[in-house]
Amino acid sequence: MKIKVGLGYDLHRLVPGRKLIIGGVSLPSDAGCLAHSDGDVLVHSMIDSLLGAGGLGDIGQWFPDSDPAYRGISSLKLLERVMVEVRKIGLTVLNTDSVVILEKPRLGPYFQAMKANLAPLLGLEPEHIGLKAKTGEGLGEVGSGQAVACWTVALLGHGD
Ligand code: MG
């Protein structure tokens, strides 16, 4: 089996009056991501890791924020679309691992629900989706609650 690794990163500004959606789960928060889509930072970093592994470019090329078709769209829909392309070139996702960095709320209680959203789209068992959360320790834009960031690595396989 040929193995491909991909790395994805995303960051969104947090503003009052928007929903905070991470991993397709709507979280209790008085601020949410400023974005053209639903601003799901975890799914966006995951998409970029998959596109990177497949040599398929990046999320901005596939879903330009100038395109009204993607206004307010659930990022799970974008992930679904990307998985069509990943499968088209013969790749299978073996596992993903993500670190979400934000001050609040604590994400641990929501990981199971996030994995339930992501697993069927990625074609993975939930235990092959790593989710972790960190705070910014009060430092910088993330630490002051002005932003949320996420890193994802994905391992994909090709053939037997
Ligand atoms: Mg994004």
Side-chain angles (χ1 to χ4, degrees):
M1 177 185 271
K2 286 184 184 163
I3 298 292
K4 304 279 185 182
V5 67
L7 172 66
Y9 169 76
D10 195 28
L11 177 142
H12 282 272
R13 189 183 290 267
L14 289 168
V15 294
R18 294 263 313 183
K19 277 188 182 171
L20 180 61
I21 296 171
I22 299 181
V25 176
S26 189
L27 301 164
S29 175
D30 48 18
C33 291
L34 186 63
H36 187 64
S37 68
D38 67 355
D40 192 323
V41 71
L42 167 59
V43 175
H44 292 182
S45 73
M46 196 167 268
I47 284 172
D48 261 354
S49 72
L50 298 170
L51 291 172
L56 294 167
D58 66 36
I59 190 169
Q61 290 169 255
W62 283 93
F63 312 110
D65 62 9
S66 54
D67 189 333
Y70 305 121
R71 190 186 307 276
I73 195 170
S74 166
S75 296
L76 295 175
K77 293 274 178 215
L78 307 182
L79 177 58
E80 194 173 14
R81 174 77 181 84
V82 163
M83 282 305 301
V84 170
E85 298 303 319
V86 165
R87 292 190 175 108
K88 208 183 276 183
I89 58 170
L91 286 170
T92 303
V93 184
L94 300 176
N95 79 301
T96 64
D97 195 19
S98 302
V99 186
V100 185
I101 313 160
L102 87 166
E103 286 309 282
K104 60 179 184 181
R106 297 190 77 85
L107 296 185
Y110 304 98
F111 282 164
Q112 204 179 338
M114 293 177 190
K115 289 181 185 186
N117 288 335
L118 298 166
L121 298 178
L122 295 167
L124 288 175
E125 295 301 319
E127 60 265 33
H128 295 146
I129 301 170
L131 295 180
K132 299 184 291 298
K134 292 278 177 190
T135 71
E137 291 282 337
L139 297 170
E141 294 85 356
V142 173
S144 63
Q146 296 177 77
V148 53
C150 188
W151 292 95
T152 297
V153 287
L155 198 66
L156 281 72
H158 193 291
D160 294 324

